[in-house]
Amino acid sequence: MTIDSNFMLRKNFYILTFLVFTSTFLVAQNNDYGKVSKEELTQAFSSVDSTASAEYLYKYRKTYFNYVSGVGFNLITNVHERIKIYNKEGFEYATKKIRLYKDGNEIEDINKLKAKTYNLIDDKVEETPLKKEGKFKIELSENVNEESFTMPNIKEGSIIEYKYSINSPFIYNIDEFVFQHDIPVKKIEVFFEAPEYFVFRMNVKGFLNVMPKREQFNKSLDYTQRVASGGTTNAGAGQGLGRTTQVRGNIKYMSNVISYDLYNIEPLKEEPFVNELSNYRSGVKYELSYTRFPNSSKEFYSRSWEDVVESVYKNPNFGDELKKTNYFKDDLDSIIKNLTDEQEKLNTIFSFVKSKVKWDQSYGKYTKKGVKQAYQKGIGNTAEINLMLTAMLDYANLESNPVLVSTRSNGMPLFPTREGYNYIVSSVKLNGKVILLDATSQNSLPGVLPVRTLNWEGRMILKDGKSSIVNLYPTNMGSIQTFQNVILKEDGSAEGKIRNVYKEHNALSFRDKYSANKQESYLSDLVRQNDGIEINDFEVKNVDNLAQLPIESYGFITESEIDAVSDKIYFSPLLFLATKENPFKQEKREFPIDFSFPFENISTSIINLPKGYVVESVPESIAIALPNDLGNFSYTIKNVGNVLQLKVLKKINYPVLPAEYYLSLKEYYGKMIEKLNEKVVLTKV
């Protein structure tokens, strides 16, 4: 037997041994609460992803309907989770946050909570129960509370485990069953049980191939209700009216159970240029389509987009608010009375709303306090501000309609759903084009929405009660034009000036970033992002004048971008402006690459060479392109006397590129970054 065959035999033996151990561990693992084993505590890394900082050893969830006699159905969700923490980066998973919804007197509440931390001390399993001081409760919004708890005695190698139950009156709102997380999942069991009276639509997302198991069981429930007796007494006719009788009964029904049993789920890892990672997280959402109780007709909750739009519009905190005009008529009349140009009228009204009412940072497709109070108080949520804007534009005889939007953080409403939209923007049809507006953003312009709203498609609510799809992604190019003038010095330092001109969404992003920070803080970030350069003569123009493009300019000194060795000088012409690292590192990608908006970055550089030096070599000028005109890059450099002239163009023509182009994009970025960092070589004469 050769050395190679011996090696392969040993290798196969080790693999077989590992597989046997893994399967034995899976079979032997006891998932009952409190039954954590020494084997689990000594496990040093995840077999699903060896780089993981933590891992769900077990996830269990069962959501079902419970009937309370005399009250009706409510929703119960039981949760049991066991998490292994491998290192300090995994300590964050020792805190669990649970959102609980409320609407008036109806609230969700959590009960039956029990939790423990397990550690292996002197070969014995040590248990530390959750204490009262580790529990917290806060109000996130008018309709959402958050209860959380932080597990005690956490160490590298700890296991935490908790169980709880949520009681909810909101039978139409089933939280998404999430299968994939930022850490691996060893085993997951999910059950959803509903009486035949409730009919749900199932929406699956993500890239896991999950197959539900469906079963039906015969069940019964006891009920009690009071009915009018309608009887009379001997004392005279009518004296028995208003009396009720308590009636008890039993109903048999069919219970539908859907379950999932999954193993070894890989984590969903962060990647650059993702709309919102949770949009691609594998899971399933059940939305109540209609109810059909005995001796009753169907009651539909959501069936089509027309139903969704109708239910939104009929809500008094939407449709009624949109019709109100008296609160602004006098003010608006005085502002637009002499305006005849529609574009000027649009710009004037948009600016007026932004200056009159500030955003309270809360989302919503319905008003909270109402448009009138928001106008008077000068503050409101997204619905109050943009319904107000829509009403004003419509009052000024501009064709305006509200548009339902799901923000990036809220996910993508792929199916007709009342819950899918959480935001409102406004629209105007002008010269045959639909212009989208969001007056919550002080730095936005007509047609330039904040990035939080750039989430595939919105739904415009028309005056006839119908709706139409609106593409939320912009078609206009965002751009940054950079002008750089550099003086190289013989000692390996350089000084120069830079001017950046921002346009469209790049202008919005710059203004938002600059306005959110004091100049000192902004400059600190600028220095840190550009390899510690020294900045002087910093100036910004038109940051508040939205009619003009914002311009940023500053002088700089750098000593870290140039290598002077003996009688030669080496440097990349863009200096610190050159992108150093390819953002695309994964071997494959399953979800789209989302740049938010198409963009074009043009950089023009003049590099003045030090006296006594000549150019020995410069990078070759090139032009490369992505397939199907998705984008292109060009690099052109010339040596004219004692000056280098460089022009770099980077362009992406679409806001979103399909995942099928990922490898092409990764290669494209690799070649581009390699070119940007190639060196010019100067020789002393």
Side-chain angles (χ1 to χ4, degrees), residues 561-581:
E561 300 293 331
I562 302 165
D563 295 321
V565 181
S566 186
D567 61 348
K568 294 184 184 293
I569 293 177
Y570 305 85
F571 67 96
S572 59
L574 280 181
L575 301 177
F576 52 84
L577 297 180
T579 305
K580 301 293 194 299
E581 191 175 354

Side-chain angles (χ1 to χ4, degrees), residues 507-603:
L508 172 61
S509 298
F510 171 75
R511 284 183 167 118
D512 282 348
K513 184 178 180 181
Y514 184 78
S515 301
N517 298 280
K518 294 180 180 179
Q519 181 169 301
E520 183 178 342
S521 175
Y522 180 85
L523 286 175
S524 296
D525 289 342
L526 193 62
V527 169
R528 185 176 63 255
Q529 293 163 8
N530 291 295
D531 298 338
I533 60 173
E534 180 182 327
I535 291 178
N536 55 68
D537 299 328
F538 181 81
E539 184 182 16
V540 172
K541 296 180 180 178
N542 305 325
V543 71
D544 296 318
N545 182 2
L546 302 188
Q548 300 292 324
L549 299 180
I551 301 172
E552 170 191 41
S553 61
Y554 55 90
F556 68 86
I557 298 173
T558 179
E559 297 179 353
S560 61
E561 300 293 331
I562 302 165
D563 295 321
V565 181
S566 186
D567 61 348
K568 294 184 184 293
I569 293 177
Y570 305 85
F571 67 96
S572 59
L574 280 181
L575 301 177
F576 52 84
L577 297 180
T579 305
K580 301 293 194 299
E581 191 175 354
N582 191 339
F584 302 106
K585 304 182 187 304
Q586 300 292 335
E587 291 302 316
K588 62 178 182 177
R589 179 161 168 156
E590 294 176 314
F591 33 85
I593 302 93
D594 191 313
F595 292 103
S596 300
F597 50 86
F599 65 87
E600 179 180 63
N601 294 346
I602 303 172
S603 177

Side-chain angles (χ1 to χ4, degrees), residues 301 306-316 318 366 418:
Y301 283 76
E306 285 69 30
D307 295 328
V308 172
V309 169
E310 182 182 12
S311 66
V312 171
Y313 189 81
K314 285 185 175 180
N315 189 297
F318 187 97
Y366 300 123
R418 298 184 305 164

Side-chain angles (χ1 to χ4, degrees), residues 208-492:
L208 284 180
N209 184 20
V210 294
M211 294 297 293
K213 179 182 177 182
R214 301 177 186 274
E215 299 175 279
Q216 289 187 322
F217 299 95
N218 292 314
K219 288 196 171 184
S220 65
L221 60 85
D222 296 318
Y223 68 88
T224 302
Q225 67 181 97
R226 303 195 73 84
V227 297
S229 61
T232 61
T233 68
N234 293 331
Q239 292 187 18
L241 293 177
R243 292 184 178 179
T244 60
T245 302
Q246 191 176 68
V247 177
R248 292 183 175 87
N250 179 273
I251 293 179
K252 290 179 170 53
Y253 66 93
M254 188 71 70
S255 183
N256 299 304
V257 178
I258 302 173
S259 62
Y260 300 84
D261 194 3
L262 305 172
Y263 294 88
N264 299 331
I265 302 172
E266 293 184 356
L268 187 65
K269 295 187 176 181
E270 286 285 349
E271 293 194 38
F273 303 108
V274 176
N275 175 317
E276 168 65 30
L277 197 62
S278 61
N279 289 339
Y280 307 101
R281 193 182 303 280
S282 288
V284 61
K285 173 75 172 175
Y286 290 92
E287 185 188 10
L288 184 59
S289 181
Y290 63 87
T291 58
R292 182 174 53 195
F293 291 100
N295 304 316
S296 301
S297 58
K298 291 182 181 179
E299 181 180 352
F300 288 93
Y301 283 76
S302 63
R303 179 175 49 180
S304 67
W305 285 118
E306 285 69 30
D307 295 328
V308 172
V309 169
E310 182 182 12
S311 66
V312 171
Y313 189 81
K314 285 185 175 180
N315 189 297
N317 294 322
F318 187 97
D320 291 352
E321 296 291 304
L322 188 59
K323 297 172 185 175
K324 295 176 180 178
T325 59
N326 285 337
Y327 66 95
F328 65 70
K329 284 176 62 175
D330 293 342
D331 292 340
L332 196 62
D333 285 341
S334 65
I335 293 170
I336 65 173
K337 62 181 178 181
N338 296 322
L339 302 180
T340 56
D341 180 76
E342 289 188 332
Q343 184 66 58
E344 185 180 3
K345 195 183 293 185
L346 165 61
N347 294 341
T348 301
I349 295 172
F350 188 48
S351 297
F352 173 66
V353 173
K354 288 198 295 179
S355 64
K356 181 69 176 176
V357 187
K358 305 303 179 187
W359 183 36
D360 66 3
Q361 303 297 310
S362 66
Y363 296 173
K365 61 179 176 285
Y366 300 123
T367 62
K368 291 191 299 184
K369 305 295 185 181
V371 288
K372 182 177 180 180
Q373 183 168 326
Y375 187 82
Q376 292 171 342
K377 299 288 186 181
I379 189 168
N381 71 350
T382 53
E384 285 154 349
I385 291 173
N386 286 322
L387 288 178
M388 180 191 304
L389 173 63
T390 304
M392 288 187 183
L393 293 168
D394 197 59
Y395 177 81
N397 296 317
L398 295 171
E399 188 178 342
S400 180
N401 294 291
V403 178
L404 292 170
V405 170
S406 176
T407 59
R408 288 173 168 244
S409 60
N410 193 56
M412 294 176 286
L414 301 177
F415 306 93
T417 168
R418 298 184 305 164
E419 305 164 21
Y421 294 111
N422 67 327
Y423 201 99
I424 290 288
V425 299
S426 184
S427 72
V428 171
K429 192 170 184 180
L430 203 62
N431 301 321
K433 290 180 61 179
V434 173
I435 301 171
L436 300 176
L437 309 100
D438 185 353
T440 68
S441 173
Q442 291 298 305
N443 294 315
S444 69
L445 292 165
V448 182
L449 295 177
V451 170
R452 61 179 173 267
T453 67
L454 303 182
N455 192 25
W456 296 94
E457 294 176 332
R459 187 158 289 269
M460 183 188 296
I461 299 182
L462 305 174
K463 292 178 176 60
D464 60 2
K466 296 181 180 179
S467 68
S468 63
I469 289 294
V470 178
N471 180 19
L472 296 172
Y473 283 112
T475 55
N476 292 341
M477 283 273 179
S479 74
I480 305 175
Q481 286 190 298
T482 300
F483 302 90
Q484 180 182 226
N485 195 309
V486 182
I487 299 173
L488 292 183
K489 296 185 178 180
E490 189 176 350
D491 63 0

Side-chain angles (χ1 to χ4, degrees), residues 87-294:
N87 54 45
K88 290 180 180 178
E89 286 72 30
F91 283 9
E92 63 179 293
Y93 295 97
T95 296
K96 176 71 174 181
K97 297 180 179 180
I98 306 161
R99 289 194 169 191
L100 301 170
Y101 299 95
K102 55 182 178 176
D103 185 8
N105 293 325
E106 293 189 315
I107 60 171
E108 293 182 329
D109 58 68
I110 184 170
N111 51 69
K112 300 180 182 178
L113 171 64
K114 54 182 179 178
K116 290 180 180 179
T117 300
Y118 303 87
N119 289 295
L120 194 62
I121 307 297
D122 297 329
D123 201 38
K124 292 184 179 180
V125 179
E126 177 187 83
E127 301 180 2
T128 308
L130 175 66
K131 301 291 196 303
K132 183 178 180 181
E133 55 268 23
K135 302 176 185 178
F136 310 93
K137 183 175 181 179
I138 60 173
E139 184 178 69
L140 292 181
S141 69
E142 185 180 3
N143 298 110
V144 182
N145 289 331
E146 180 184 88
E147 291 198 27
S148 63
F149 53 87
T150 298
M151 300 299 295
N153 199 22
I154 298 300
K155 311 175 189 294
E156 292 184 344
S158 294
I159 289 176
I160 63 171
E161 186 176 36
Y162 45 81
K163 291 183 72 174
Y164 60 85
S165 182
I166 296 175
N167 189 334
S168 173
F170 308 118
I171 58 175
Y172 53 83
N173 185 31
I174 312 296
D175 286 340
E176 180 182 337
F177 292 89
V178 179
F179 301 141
Q180 193 175 31
H181 295 266
D182 299 335
I183 55 175
V185 181
K186 195 73 176 175
K187 176 177 173 58
I188 183 170
E189 290 182 300
V190 166
F191 299 88
F192 177 46
E193 181 175 356
E196 62 181 284
Y197 313 129
F198 299 88
V199 179
F200 288 85
R201 176 188 287 109
M202 182 180 76
N203 302 324
V204 179
K205 68 184 183 70
F207 299 94
L208 284 180
N209 184 20
V210 294
M211 294 297 293
K213 179 182 177 182
R214 301 177 186 274
E215 299 175 279
Q216 289 187 322
F217 299 95
N218 292 314
K219 288 196 171 184
S220 65
L221 60 85
D222 296 318
Y223 68 88
T224 302
Q225 67 181 97
R226 303 195 73 84
V227 297
S229 61
T232 61
T233 68
N234 293 331
Q239 292 187 18
L241 293 177
R243 292 184 178 179
T244 60
T245 302
Q246 191 176 68
V247 177
R248 292 183 175 87
N250 179 273
I251 293 179
K252 290 179 170 53
Y253 66 93
M254 188 71 70
S255 183
N256 299 304
V257 178
I258 302 173
S259 62
Y260 300 84
D261 194 3
L262 305 172
Y263 294 88
N264 299 331
I265 302 172
E266 293 184 356
L268 187 65
K269 295 187 176 181
E270 286 285 349
E271 293 194 38
F273 303 108
V274 176
N275 175 317
E276 168 65 30
L277 197 62
S278 61
N279 289 339
Y280 307 101
R281 193 182 303 280
S282 288
V284 61
K285 173 75 172 175
Y286 290 92
E287 185 188 10
L288 184 59
S289 181
Y290 63 87
T291 58
R292 182 174 53 195
F293 291 100

